[in-house]
Amino acid sequence: MKILIIRFSSIGDIVLASPVFRCVKQQLPEAELHFLTKLSFKEVTVNNIYIDQFHYYDDNMEALIKILTLENFDHVIDLHNNIRSTTIRKKLKRPVQIIDKLSWQKFLLTKLNINVMPGIHITQRSLNTVKKLGVTDDGRGLDYFISTDQKVFANDLPTTHHAGFISIVIGGNHYTKKMPVHKLQELCRKINHPIILVGGETEKLVGEQIAAIDEMKIYNSCGKFSLNESADIIRQSKLVVSHDTGFQYIACAFQRPVIALWGGTSPKLDVEPYYGSANPAKHQNIFLDLRCQPCSRYGSDKCPLEHFNCMEKQNTDLIASKVQQMLGR
C-alpha cells in the first residue's frame, strides 16, 4: 500500500499532524508513506523516521503532478484542503480522505463571536482522516525529530545557563500573535530564572532589546541557530513560554511544560498545546477571553480595533507567577 499525505504549511500545523505519520506507519507497517509539503518547510520533517519519501512543492505544480502520478498511490490523505491540494488530489484520481477545516465555524467565531466549534483538536481531526484505513490514535502525542549534527551543547550556550533555563519564544507569523516588546521586557524582569529568547533572524533585533535589560539572565538566541538547533534548545528547556507559533507545538512534542500566550488567536480554535491522551497535560493557557478575541484564524498584521487589548492587557505578574508554579517553586 502506498499513501500520500499532503500538508503544505505551517511549522505548527505540520507538527500538529505528526501523529498521523507515526500511527499510519506503525499500524500499517507494510505501507509506503510519502509526504508532500512546501520546500520551505523541508527542515521541519526531513528527520522524521516514519516518512519513506518526501515530495516538495516550490512553484512546480505541473512537474510535481507528473511525479506524483507515476507513484500510483493507493490513498491520498489531504490535511491541508486548499485550492492547491484540491488540484493535486483531483489530478491523481485516487481514493482520498480530507480534513474538515471547520471553515464556517471559524468564520462565526472570529467575525461574529459565535462559538459553535466542536471542541475537537486539530490533531484529532487530522487522525480522523485515516480511520477508514483502520488507523487509530495511539495517544502518544506529537513528534519532532532532530539529527545529531543539529544538537545544541552546553558550550554553545552561556555558562550562566548551564544549570538550566526556561525558553521564551518571542516570534510569531503575525503582529496580533506577539506580545509587544515592552510587555516582554516587563515579563522578563519579573522572572527570576535564566532565560533564553527563541526566534529566527527576524526576531534578532527585538531579542536584543529584551536581553539588554539583563544580559546575564537573558540570552538572545534569535538568529544564531537554525530551526532545528532552536528546537533542540526548546527540548532542553525546563519550561517554554510561547506565543501561538510552531515552537509551542515543538515543545509539546518533547513533552516540555508550556505557558501559551494568546492574542489575536485563541485556544477556542481547537489548537491549544497538545500532549496526547496517554500523557498528562503540561500547559497553561494565558487568554483574556475578550469579546473581540479571537479576531482571526491565523493572526493579522494589525489589531482590527486598534487597541490590541488582548496583548497590551496581559498580566505579566500572573504569567511570572505561573512560571514559578510550573517550575515547582
Side-chain angles (χ1 to χ4, degrees):
M1 182 188 300
K2 191 180 285 190
I3 301 169
L4 173 66
I5 297 177
I6 304 172
R7 179 72 226 192
F8 289 115
S9 62
S10 56
I11 294 173
D13 289 315
I14 293 171
V15 176
L16 285 166
S18 60
V20 178
F21 310 136
R22 181 185 67 248
C23 291
V24 168
K25 194 64 179 174
Q26 291 192 335
Q27 296 173 37
L28 302 173
E30 78 286 357
E32 182 178 314
L33 187 56
H34 292 232
F35 180 52
L36 169 60
T37 190
K38 286 184 180 178
L39 182 60
S40 56
F41 294 103
K42 179 178 180 179
E43 193 173 2
V44 181
T45 54
V46 70
N47 299 310
N48 193 307
I49 62 175
Y50 301 114
I51 300 172
D52 296 299
Q53 189 166 331
F54 294 88
H55 304 275
Y56 298 106
Y57 173 77
D58 189 28
D59 293 326
N60 58 338
M61 181 64 79
E62 186 175 342
L64 180 62
I65 288 174
K66 287 181 180 179
I67 292 169
L68 295 175
T69 301
L70 290 173
E71 294 289 350
N72 194 28
F73 294 107
D74 295 291
H75 296 277
V76 175
I77 309 298
D78 186 356
L79 299 182
H80 206 114
N81 193 15
N82 67 353
I83 293 173
R84 190 175 290 132
S85 66
T86 300
T87 299
I88 290 170
R89 68 178 192 248
K90 286 185 175 180
K91 290 287 186 179
L92 295 182
K93 299 178 181 178
R94 308 307 298 164
V96 63
Q97 298 297 319
I98 307 165
I99 192 169
D100 185 355
K101 294 180 75 172
L102 305 177
S103 297
W104 68 268
Q105 293 96 327
K106 291 177 181 177
F107 175 85
L108 290 175
L109 179 59
T110 58
K111 304 304 179 185
L112 302 175
N113 196 32
I114 298 173
N115 189 359
V116 291
M117 293 290 291
I120 303 172
H121 196 276
I122 186 173
T123 298
Q124 286 296 321
R125 287 188 283 113
S126 296
L127 284 161
N128 286 343
T129 63
V130 292
K131 277 186 175 180
K132 288 190 176 180
L133 300 180
V135 175
T136 59
D137 181 14
D138 61 9
R140 288 167 46 198
L142 310 180
D143 284 322
Y144 199 85
F145 298 93
I146 303 170
S147 63
T148 302
D149 64 335
Q150 295 169 323
K151 296 291 178 68
V152 174
F153 299 97
N155 59 2
D156 297 316
L157 301 174
T159 55
T160 50
H161 291 60
H162 286 183
F165 56 86
I166 70 168
S167 289
I168 299 183
V169 180
I170 64 173
N173 287 338
H174 300 283
Y175 169 82
T176 56
K177 283 187 174 185
K178 297 183 287 188
M179 190 179 283
V181 175
H182 71 95
K183 296 291 285 187
L184 286 166
Q185 290 173 325
E186 187 178 296
L187 175 61
C188 287
R189 286 191 185 98
K190 295 174 180 178
I191 294 174
N192 184 26
H193 203 79
I195 297 167
I196 293 184
L197 304 177
V198 176
E201 184 69 32
T202 54
E203 285 78 46
K204 184 176 180 179
L205 293 179
V206 170
E208 289 176 358
Q209 290 177 266
I210 299 167
I213 66 174
D214 188 340
E215 292 183 347
M216 290 292 289
K217 180 174 73 173
I218 307 167
Y219 174 62
N220 177 28
S221 77
C222 302
K224 297 176 182 176
F225 296 94
S226 69
L227 170 64
N228 281 340
E229 288 169 338
S230 295
D232 197 50
I233 290 174
I234 294 291
R235 181 186 64 84
Q236 297 180 51
S237 304
K238 292 182 179 179
L239 168 71
V240 178
V241 180
S242 179
H243 301 134
D244 175 17
T245 187
F247 283 119
Q248 178 185 121
Y249 306 112
I250 290 173
C252 294
F254 292 124
Q255 297 293 312
R256 295 295 85 205
V258 170
I259 294 177
L261 308 178
W262 299 92
T265 55
S266 160
K268 290 181 180 179
L269 292 163
D270 294 337
V271 292
E272 67 179 331
Y274 184 88
Y275 294 91
S277 59
N279 301 306
K282 303 180 180 71
H283 73 280
Q284 293 273 345
N285 288 317
I286 306 296
F287 172 54
L288 298 182
D289 201 14
L290 305 174
R291 180 169 176 79
C292 56
Q293 192 180 15
C295 60
S296 169
R297 303 181 197 182
Y298 314 111
S300 52
D301 294 333
K302 62 179 182 179
C303 171
L305 300 179
E306 299 184 354
H307 53 57
F308 202 25
N309 284 343
C310 59
M311 283 301 193
E312 290 288 357
K313 291 191 174 182
Q314 289 279 6
N315 184 339
T316 54
D317 285 322
L318 172 65
I319 300 169
S321 71
K322 293 292 185 185
V323 168
Q324 296 295 93
Q325 290 171 19
M326 294 179 77
L327 288 175
R329 297 183 175 184

